[in-house]
Amino acid sequence: MKFMEDVVKKRTCTVLSERGLAGAVGGCATRFLCQPFDVLKIRFQVQIEPISKSSGSAVYRGIIQGLQHIVKGEGWTALWKGHVAAQALSATFGFVQFGLFEAITTYAFEQSPSLKSVQSGVNFSAGLGAGCLATIISFPFDTIRTRLIVQGEPKIYKGVMDVVSKMWAKEGALSLYHGLSPTLIQIGPYTGCQFAIYKFLIEMYEEAIDGKGAGLKSLTCGAVAGAVAKTLVYPLDLGKKRMQLQGFCNRHQYKGLLDCLATTVRNEGLAALLKGLSPSLLKAVFSSALQFYFYETTLEFLTRSNVRVKC
């Protein structure tokens, strides 16, 4: 009995390490390609004025105009502002998220085969738990890159360490976790839906296409999963970004997530809860598709190369 327990534990550890490595690689590659969408999304989210072509006072009025404005005022490199912190975020988050999700589901299905009958529920729960833990571990990087992205010219922060030192000195160490609660409320359902939808679509795709076109399969299913999941939880994402900027440039102070969302609706209208949805959806579609593609590709490479991570 003890021998079987050791085998299960070792296999779970191996799954965590290998899937985690693939998740980190996928996260970093995806972040590099999709960072401009993220920069524009965050600029949209923290803008008070309506995002509309008819809004003369707004700095950002649309996707193309927004990109042109950033490039003209700050240069092409501004589209990758906060990239160092963002890569640290992606590597850490990807490792924990994918590694833990696969470890939990592998262990659960091996220990209780009857759970196969509620596979989508297990995938949702495992994705929710993995996403929350990954968020807690990597969250300071998210706050840092948000500050770096939002700052314009002249710059307030010189880099990652400058953000950390100034926030620590002026706002305290816990300021690095501003917006953690709404993030957990948002990221849990998002990753849960994303993994559950992705796994469901993968099964449907393989039944319809008979397992052919592995690259197209992960791209297509990943894109749909990302788009649906992001749309469902987007207002929570907006609230998270606004709370992360509390104390920065005299921005509004919120009592919590509900107060943030209520204040946004009261001052800017109900549609303000979807500010930045367009670039966010573009980013969600591309990033989710690419992340799952790079993840599956990395796993395939590790398998073909007979690379094994020992625990």
Side-chain angles (χ1 to χ4, degrees):
M1 192 70 179
K2 187 178 184 302
F3 172 74
M4 291 303 298
E5 289 180 358
D6 290 340
V7 170
V8 171
K9 289 180 180 178
K10 187 174 182 180
R11 171 167 167 72
T12 302
C13 179
T14 301
V15 169
L16 172 63
S17 302
E18 291 181 352
R19 302 304 197 273
L21 176 60
V25 172
C28 289
T30 302
R31 173 68 63 182
F32 176 77
L33 296 174
C34 296
Q35 178 74 356
F37 289 121
D38 213 28
V39 169
L40 186 60
K41 180 201 74 171
I42 292 175
R43 296 285 182 96
F44 277 14
Q45 286 179 324
V46 300
Q47 176 174 284
I48 302 300
E49 297 80 10
I51 298 171
S52 171
K53 294 180 180 179
S54 60
S55 180
S57 61
V59 175
Y60 304 105
R61 299 186 293 275
I63 294 177
I64 302 301
Q65 179 274 334
L67 292 172
Q68 291 175 337
H69 178 84
I70 293 173
V71 172
K72 183 178 180 180
E74 305 169 49
W76 283 98
T77 56
L79 295 176
W80 278 269
K81 269 189 174 180
H83 193 57
V84 174
Q87 284 291 11
L89 166 66
S90 296
T92 306
F93 189 89
F95 182 92
V96 178
Q97 178 193 29
F98 279 90
L100 191 58
F101 170 80
E102 295 290 359
I104 290 174
T105 52
T106 298
Y107 182 83
F109 291 135
E110 286 186 352
Q111 293 298 298
S112 302
S114 60
L115 289 175
K116 284 284 185 180
S117 61
V118 287
Q119 186 170 348
S120 292
V122 174
N123 288 334
F124 175 83
S125 300
L128 187 151
C132 287
L133 183 58
T135 298
I136 293 172
I137 294 174
S138 64
F139 195 77
F141 295 120
D142 193 19
T143 301
I144 292 167
R145 62 118 185 186
T146 298
R147 296 275 179 123
L148 290 171
I149 288 173
V150 170
Q151 69 172 346
E153 299 291 342
K155 294 181 179 179
I156 299 174
Y157 304 112
K158 299 176 182 178
V160 173
M161 294 310 299
D162 191 40
V163 177
V164 175
S165 62
K166 287 181 177 177
M167 289 185 68
W168 195 297
K170 296 180 180 179
E171 305 170 46
L174 291 179
S175 63
L176 291 170
Y177 282 90
H178 272 165
L180 177 60
S181 296
T183 301
L184 291 175
I185 294 173
Q186 174 246 333
I187 204 67
Y190 175 75
T191 54
C193 288
Q194 187 184 34
F195 275 111
I197 294 171
Y198 177 76
K199 292 294 186 179
F200 173 76
L201 292 175
I202 285 292
E203 288 189 5
M204 298 296 290
Y205 189 100
E206 289 179 342
E207 289 180 6
I209 310 298
D210 194 25
K212 298 179 180 178
L216 180 61
K217 173 180 66 177
S218 56
L219 283 171
T220 303
C221 297
V224 175
V228 174
K230 174 58 69 176
T231 302
L232 291 174
V233 303
Y234 187 76
L236 299 175
D237 187 32
L238 181 136
K240 176 195 76 171
K241 290 302 176 193
R242 294 201 169 192
M243 292 187 69
Q244 282 180 319
L245 292 172
Q246 291 183 106
F248 178 59
C249 292
N250 298 316
R251 290 186 176 271
H252 190 91
Q253 295 291 318
Y254 303 107
K255 298 176 183 178
L257 176 60
L258 292 180
D259 179 55
C260 176
L261 297 178
T263 300
T264 299
V265 173
R266 184 168 58 251
N267 294 339
E268 305 167 50
L270 187 61
L273 294 178
L274 297 180
K275 274 186 174 179
L277 179 60
S278 297
S280 185
L281 270 181
L282 281 175
K283 186 219 169 190
V285 168
F286 285 112
S287 64
S288 185
L290 291 172
Q291 188 171 32
F292 279 110
Y293 171 77
F294 286 125
Y295 169 73
E296 300 287 2
T297 301
T298 303
L299 276 182
E300 185 178 353
F301 171 77
L302 292 174
T303 302
R304 288 183 176 180
S305 303
N306 199 28
V307 176
R308 287 291 180 267
V309 180
K310 295 183 179 180
C311 296

